[in-house]
Amino acid sequence: MKLNRNWINEDFVDLSDISDKDFVETLTVAGQKVETYERMDAEIKNVVVGRVCSMERHPNSDHMWICQVDVGQGEPVQIVTGAQNVREGDLVPAALHNSRLPGGVHITKGKLRGEVSNGMLCSLKELGLTLNDFPYAIEDGIWILQEDCKPGDDINLVIGNNDTVVDFEITNNRPDCYSIIGLAREAAAAFDRPMKHHEPVVKGGAEGALCDLLDVEVPAEDLCRRYTARMVRNVRIAPSPKWLRQRLRANGVRPINNIVDITNYVMLEYGQPMHAFDYRYIGTKKIVVRRAEEGECLTTLDGVVRPLKAGMLVIADGEKPIGLAGVMGGENSEIVDDTVDVVFESANFDGTSIRQTALALGMRTEASGKFEKNIDPLLTLPAVNRACELVELLGAGEVVDGTIDILNRIPEPRTVALEPERINALLGTDISEADMIAYLRRLEIPVEGRTILVPSFRPDLVQMADIAEEVGRMYGYNEIPTTAFRSATAEGGYTGTMVLESRTGAACRALGYSEILTYSFVSPTSFDLIRLPQESPLRKPMRIQNPLGEDASVMRTIALPSMLAVLSHNNAYHNDACKLYELAKVYLPREGQTLPDEPKHLLLGTYGEGEDFFTLKGEIEAIFTAMNVRPAEYYAVKDNPSYHPGRCAGVRVGGVEVGVFGQVHPLVAKNYGIDSEIYAAELDFTALSALLCPPKTFHPLPKYPTVNRDIAVVCDESVTVAQLVDCIRSAGGKLLRSVKLFDIYRGKGIDAGKKSVAFSLTLRSDERTLTDADSDGEVKAVLEKLEADLGARLR
C-alpha cells in the first residue's frame, strides 16, 4: 500500500515536522512495516521554470532555435532547442547545466552545431509525465506551462513532486490499512497526534427521484453483503483538478477523467472499491447482482472478451452483464466523453468469491485485491457519499437525492474484555489500566469500563492476545524490558538424526564432496532421462495441485535426476571435475493414504580425472565407517537401466537393501549433455539410520603380540572376494582379528576359469601369547571351511 505524506498532512494528521526517517521508523516499530520510501523529486534536479525572452534562427540549422531564457538568475541563459511549438513569452521547464532527469539522464552545457546551449527545454516525457498528468500539454513538443509559477521556480514544486511516497507491507488481517484513512489513523496513534475526520456532505437536488430512475435487486445475497448506489445527472466529463491528479499519481494511479478519478480517489482514501456506470447503457434501468449463467460473456474495460463460468458474481442490468463484481467493469457501460448520467456503485462482496473469479480469469485488479481481504461492509455508504461530495466539489455534475442501500449481512457488534493483569503477564510489563485504555482510544477503539467495543474496521481483534498486541505496539516494543522466561524451558541440543546427518555431511566434505540443495518438485520427463522403466512404481509420483509449471509439477520419487541436473550444469560451465552430495528427501506415495512416505536419500555424484567405480566404493565405505553403520555387503547389479551394466553394485546391510552405486549409463549421461564418465550413488539414509552398530567403546591397547599368517587359495572365477572374506571370518573364531586382501593372480600355474586370492590374517589373544600350534590350528580351520563351502583350496 502506497501513501504520499502530503495527503495525510493536509487532510488527516499534520506530521509535517516529522522527518521521513523518523516517520518510517516509528510506523515500522508501531506495527506497520515500511518496505521502502522515496522522494518523488529525487530523480529531477536543477530543473526550473524558464520564460522564453527571445528566439532567433540557428545560423547552422534550418529547424533549430537559439533561445534566451529567463530562469530567475538575473541574466538570461542561452538554450538551443529544435522544438517548433515554443514562442516568445512562453513558460517552459528548463534543465540547466548539471541537471538530472528521470532515468538517470544527465544534462550539461555544450554546443549544438557551433552554438552554446546551457541546458535543455523539456517535454512532458522527459520529466517522466504523461498527458494524463497535464492534459492541456502536447505529447510531442516542449511543455508550455499553464501553471501558477514564475521563472526560477523549482519544477518539482510545479508538478507536485515535493512529496515522499511510503510503501507499506500490510498484513491481510488489517484490511483497514489498505486505505489512506487507515494509515493516517495508525500514524496519528503512533505519534499521539489528533486525527481529523471528515464527514461527507452532499447537497443533492438534481431533477428526479432515485427510486423512479433506478431499481436494484440482489438475488445473490450470500455473495453480496451490502450494495449501495447513488446517481449523478448532467455530468460534465473533464480532466480532474491538479491537486487530485497529483494525489493519484503519487499513489501509482493514472488519472483519466474526473468521474473515473473520483472512484479511484475514494478507493485509495477509504479502501472501498467503487465503480461508475453510464446510466443510459443500463438496460431496463435496473441493476441485478447475480451469479453468471453458463455461456455468458463480458467484454471488460481492458477490451478483452471474458467467457464467464456459471457461479461467477456479476453486475447485470435486466438484459446482460455490465460488470464483473469486485474485479472490473464492462466496456458496455464505460464512462465516455458524452456520458450524461452516472450511477455510482459502492458494494461489499464476498472475498472468497471475488478471489476465485479473479484467479479463474487471470485478471487480479486493485479492487479484487481489496475485496479479498474482506473489507468493512460499513464503508459502502460513506464512500459513495464522499464520491458524490467530490462530484459537487469539482463541478462534475448534479447529485440526485436519496440512496439505494441494500443490507444483506452486517457483522454483529463485537466486544472483548479488557484484562490488564493478563495483558501485563503476557507482555512482561507493568502498564496501568488507564494507560491501556488511552492506547486503545488513540487507535479509535472505544472502551467502556473493562469492555472493549471492537470497531467494524478491526476484524483482527478477537481475543485478549489481540488486545495485548495493540497495547504492546503503542507502549513501544523497544520499551518492554527483557525478562527471564517464567516457566521451565525445554532442553536444547540435537536429535540423534540431526547428529547423524551432521556426521555424514562432515565425512562427505572430508572426501572432497560439496553439498547441494535441490528442489523436491521435478518434471515428469526426468524419469525418461534416467531411463526408468515404464512399469516402475516410481513413475507414479504425487502431483502438485498448483504447480509453478510442468517442469515442477510432481514430487520426486527418486533423487538421481536432481543430482545429474546439477552435474550437467557444472559440466556445461566447463568445470573439469566435480564431487557433489545431497541429503535429499523423496516422496513415495502410499496406497490409500493422503500423505506419502518421505525417506531421506544420500546422493553422491562425481566426474573427472581419477574417478572410477572402486574409488566411489571406497568412499562409500569411509562414509559408512563415519556413520558407524554395520558391515555392508556389495553385489553386482546388471538390470538397473540408469547405470552401466558392468560397473554397478547394490549395497546390502544386515540383509536390508540400502542402495546402489556405479557408473551412470552412457545413454543417461548423454541425455544430460555429458560425454565423460559419471559416477553416482543412491543410498537410503533413513534405512541406514536404523542399521547402526552399537556405540563404540574404549578398549585398552593389547598386552600380547599379534601373529600374521598369509594364505593363498585357488577358487572358481565366480567366487567373489566378499564370499571368501565372509567364510574366513565365520571360521576364524575369537583369535581372528582382521582379514586383508593383498593379491589376486591369474595366469601361469593357475587353471583356466580359476584364480588365486591371497589374504593376510591377523591373530591375537587378549589372555596370552599365541603359540605356533594355536596359529596353525586357526589357519587349518579356515582352510577347511573354505574348501567345504566354496571349493577353495590352498595354493
Side-chain angles (χ1 to χ4, degrees):
M1 175 69 191
K2 293 183 183 295
L3 166 74
N4 62 307
R5 292 196 60 193
N6 284 353
W7 191 344
I8 67 167
N9 287 341
E10 294 164 5
D11 288 7
F12 299 109
V13 54
D14 186 7
L15 299 174
S16 55
D17 58 322
I18 306 296
S19 69
D20 291 338
K21 185 174 183 293
D22 289 342
F23 180 83
V24 301
E25 287 183 353
T26 301
L27 265 293
T28 298
V29 171
Q32 298 304 332
K33 180 185 175 184
V34 174
E35 281 287 313
T36 60
Y37 72 96
E38 61 179 347
R39 288 288 304 178
M40 294 180 63
D41 54 13
E43 287 195 313
I44 300 179
K45 299 293 183 184
N46 202 24
V47 181
V48 299
V49 175
R51 184 186 302 279
V52 180
C53 300
S54 64
M55 299 176 63
E56 61 180 62
R57 287 284 184 184
H58 194 297
N60 301 317
S61 172
D62 59 357
H63 71 281
M64 287 186 169
W65 295 88
I66 300 175
C67 304
Q68 301 299 322
V69 184
D70 177 11
V71 294
Q73 297 180 357
E75 294 294 324
V77 298
Q78 179 171 299
I79 296 178
V80 178
T81 182
Q84 303 302 306
N85 67 312
V86 180
R87 301 290 181 269
E88 291 185 2
D90 285 345
L91 290 174
V92 294
L96 304 180
H97 170 64
N98 201 27
S99 59
R100 298 279 179 178
L101 296 176
V105 178
H106 187 202
I107 304 299
T108 59
K109 65 181 179 180
K111 288 187 177 182
L112 291 176
R113 298 197 179 183
E115 295 294 330
V116 174
S117 181
N118 292 297
M120 181 180 76
L121 304 185
C122 299
S123 66
L124 276 178
K125 184 177 180 180
E126 287 160 340
L127 293 172
L129 304 171
T130 68
L131 290 178
N132 298 97
D133 301 308
F134 291 92
Y136 65 80
I138 62 174
E139 192 164 8
D140 293 325
I142 301 304
W143 180 19
I144 309 303
L145 295 165
Q146 297 180 14
E147 309 303 311
D148 182 15
C149 55
K150 64 182 185 302
D153 286 351
D154 188 342
I155 199 67
N156 282 306
L157 298 177
V158 176
I159 64 179
N161 269 5
N162 57 322
D163 200 354
T164 300
V165 177
V166 185
D167 197 353
F168 288 87
E169 180 186 342
I170 308 298
T171 55
N172 289 343
N173 68 333
R174 291 297 306 274
D176 58 304
C177 289
Y178 284 93
S179 67
I180 300 296
I181 291 177
L183 290 175
R185 184 189 295 115
E186 289 291 310
F191 288 97
D192 198 12
R193 301 279 181 92
M195 172 80 173
K196 295 179 288 184
H197 285 282
H198 171 71
E199 188 71 28
V201 177
V202 183
K203 298 175 183 178
E207 181 182 355
L210 183 59
C211 59
D212 295 331
L213 296 169
L214 183 68
D215 185 23
V216 177
E217 293 181 2
V218 186
E221 295 183 4
D222 56 327
L223 301 183
C224 179
R225 301 185 184 96
R226 187 174 188 179
Y227 194 93
T228 309
R230 295 201 68 167
M231 187 169 173
V232 178
R233 311 202 73 178
N234 302 318
V235 168
R236 293 172 287 279
I237 302 296
S240 299
K242 179 182 176 181
W243 65 267
L244 194 149
R245 299 197 310 269
Q246 286 178 347
R247 287 185 176 181
L248 291 179
R249 181 165 61 88
N251 286 274
V253 178
R254 177 172 60 93
I256 298 175
N257 59 52
N258 49 8
I259 297 299
V260 176
D261 291 350
I262 284 170
T263 61
N264 287 331
Y265 185 90
V266 173
M267 181 176 67
L268 291 172
E269 186 175 39
Y270 282 78
Q272 170 64 48
M274 290 189 59
H275 188 67
F277 296 103
D278 191 325
Y279 176 69
R280 61 185 163 177
Y281 296 124
I282 301 177
T284 70
K285 308 309 175 189
K286 176 189 289 187
I287 287 178
V288 182
V289 185
R290 61 173 174 81
R291 288 175 167 85
E293 298 175 0
E294 196 68 46
E296 285 190 304
C297 291
L298 174 67
T299 303
T300 47
L301 287 173
D302 54 5
V304 179
V305 178
R306 312 276 183 181
L308 306 179
K309 296 181 180 179
M312 290 182 174
L313 189 64
V314 297
I315 309 300
D317 58 16
E319 304 163 350
K320 62 191 179 300
I322 58 174
L324 201 55
V327 182
M328 187 178 289
E331 194 177 60
N332 55 8
S333 60
E334 180 182 9
I335 303 300
V336 291
D337 291 343
D338 63 347
T339 297
V340 177
D341 299 326
V342 167
V343 174
F344 278 133
E345 168 194 277
S346 178
N348 188 276
F349 303 115
D350 178 72
T352 301
S353 171
I354 300 304
R355 178 171 176 80
Q356 289 174 343
T357 299
L359 285 174
L361 297 177
M363 51 182 304
R364 182 179 176 86
T365 62
E366 184 77 17
S368 69
K370 283 181 163 54
F371 279 121
E372 289 171 9
K373 312 301 187 301
N374 287 316
I375 55 180
D376 183 7
L378 300 187
L379 281 177
T380 62
L381 185 58
V384 77
N385 287 337
R386 175 60 167 158
C388 292
E389 180 186 48
L390 288 171
V391 167
E392 295 179 340
L393 179 65
L394 273 55
E398 302 168 7
V399 180
V400 176
D401 290 334
T403 303
I404 295 176
D405 192 15
I406 299 176
L407 290 79
N408 291 323
R409 184 158 40 105
I410 298 299
E412 294 291 329
R414 290 180 292 114
T415 61
V416 177
L418 177 64
E419 303 173 87
E421 299 80 7
R422 292 185 65 196
I423 291 174
N424 278 324
L426 180 63
L427 297 178
T429 56
D430 189 20
I431 305 171
S432 67
E433 181 177 339
D435 285 343
M436 290 184 185
I437 294 173
Y439 294 149
L440 294 172
R441 286 176 176 166
R442 272 165 57 179
L443 290 163
E444 301 184 4
I445 301 173
V447 182
E448 294 182 0
R450 281 201 168 188
T451 301
I452 298 167
L453 309 177
V454 179
S456 61
F457 60 82
R458 290 301 301 273
D460 58 306
L461 301 182
V462 178
Q463 55 188 342
M464 182 277 296
D466 302 321
I467 303 302
E469 181 181 5
E470 300 303 297
V471 171
R473 66 192 186 93
M474 289 297 104
Y475 177 73
Y477 292 134
N478 293 338
E479 302 300 321
I480 297 177
T482 301
T483 56
F485 285 107
R486 298 183 181 180
S487 60
T489 58
E491 293 185 5
Y494 296 107
T495 64
T497 301
M498 294 168 66
V499 171
L500 185 61
E501 288 180 4
S502 176
R503 197 161 65 230
T504 303
C508 292
R509 293 189 294 273
L511 292 166
Y513 286 86
S514 298
E515 186 175 14
I516 61 171
L517 295 173
T518 58
Y519 290 119
S520 295
F521 33 85
V522 297
S523 169
T525 60
S526 63
F527 301 130
D528 296 325
L529 294 177
I530 63 170
R531 304 175 73 232
L532 196 65
Q534 292 295 329
E535 64 276 8
S536 172
L538 297 180
R539 275 188 175 269
K540 298 178 181 179
M542 300 190 72
R543 293 196 64 86
I544 300 172
Q545 289 185 350
N546 298 302
L548 298 174
E550 187 61 21
D551 286 345
S553 60
V554 299
M555 303 303 292
R556 65 186 175 195
T557 55
I558 182 171
L560 181 62
S562 301
M563 173 60 71
L564 294 179
V566 180
L567 290 173
S568 174
H569 182 80
N570 278 269
N571 182 73
Y573 278 81
H574 305 290
N575 191 351
D576 294 333
C578 192
K579 294 171 75 76
L580 305 174
Y581 83 94
E582 179 181 14
L583 279 167
K585 189 174 286 188
V586 296
Y587 302 82
L588 306 177
R590 294 182 294 176
E591 187 174 352
Q593 299 291 325
T594 303
L595 297 178
D597 281 329
E598 300 180 20
K600 277 191 175 180
H601 285 188
L602 174 61
L603 267 291
L604 303 176
T606 179
Y607 67 82
E609 186 178 356
E611 300 298 335
D612 57 30
F613 175 88
F614 294 105
T615 300
L616 181 58
K617 177 177 179 291
E619 290 170 342
I620 292 172
E621 290 179 338
I623 293 171
F624 283 179
T625 299
M627 294 175 65
N628 197 29
V629 172
R630 296 177 186 175
E633 177 187 351
Y634 304 92
Y635 57 94
V637 174
K638 297 183 179 181
D639 58 354
N640 190 323
S642 299
Y643 290 89
H644 191 297
R647 300 176 183 175
C648 178
V651 185
R652 188 183 295 121
V653 176
V656 179
E657 305 288 341
V658 295
V660 63
F661 70 95
Q663 180 186 342
V664 174
H665 198 289
L667 293 178
V668 174
K670 187 177 181 180
N671 289 339
Y672 284 90
I674 303 177
D675 295 329
S676 58
E677 295 181 358
I678 313 174
Y679 292 89
E682 305 169 68
L683 305 172
D684 190 335
F685 180 83
T686 300
L688 289 169
S689 301
L691 297 169
L692 303 181
C693 295
K696 295 181 179 179
T697 57
F698 170 75
H699 294 280
L701 292 174
K703 298 179 180 180
Y704 302 100
T706 59
V707 174
N708 294 320
R709 289 293 179 91
D710 296 340
I711 62 172
V713 295
V714 178
C715 61
D716 293 336
E717 280 282 6
S718 60
V719 178
T720 65
V721 171
Q723 290 174 309
L724 293 170
V725 171
D726 289 343
C727 186
I728 294 172
R729 290 187 183 281
S730 64
K734 295 181 179 180
L735 297 182
L736 181 63
R737 299 296 177 169
S738 68
V739 181
K740 292 183 180 180
L741 170 72
F742 68 86
D743 182 55
I744 299 177
Y745 173 74
R746 301 174 182 87
K748 187 177 180 180
I750 303 297
D751 294 338
K754 300 285 187 178
K755 61 183 175 183
S756 171
V757 185
F759 297 95
S760 177
L761 311 183
T762 300
L763 308 172
R764 189 185 70 242
S765 170
D766 294 331
E767 301 171 353
R768 57 190 174 81
T769 300
L770 294 179
T771 64
D772 289 341
D774 296 327
S775 303
D776 291 342
E778 196 76 13
V779 171
K780 182 181 179 181
V782 166
L783 292 173
E784 290 175 351
K785 180 74 170 175
L786 286 171
E787 183 173 2
D789 291 358
L790 302 174
R793 298 182 178 182
L794 185 65
R795 179 179 171 187

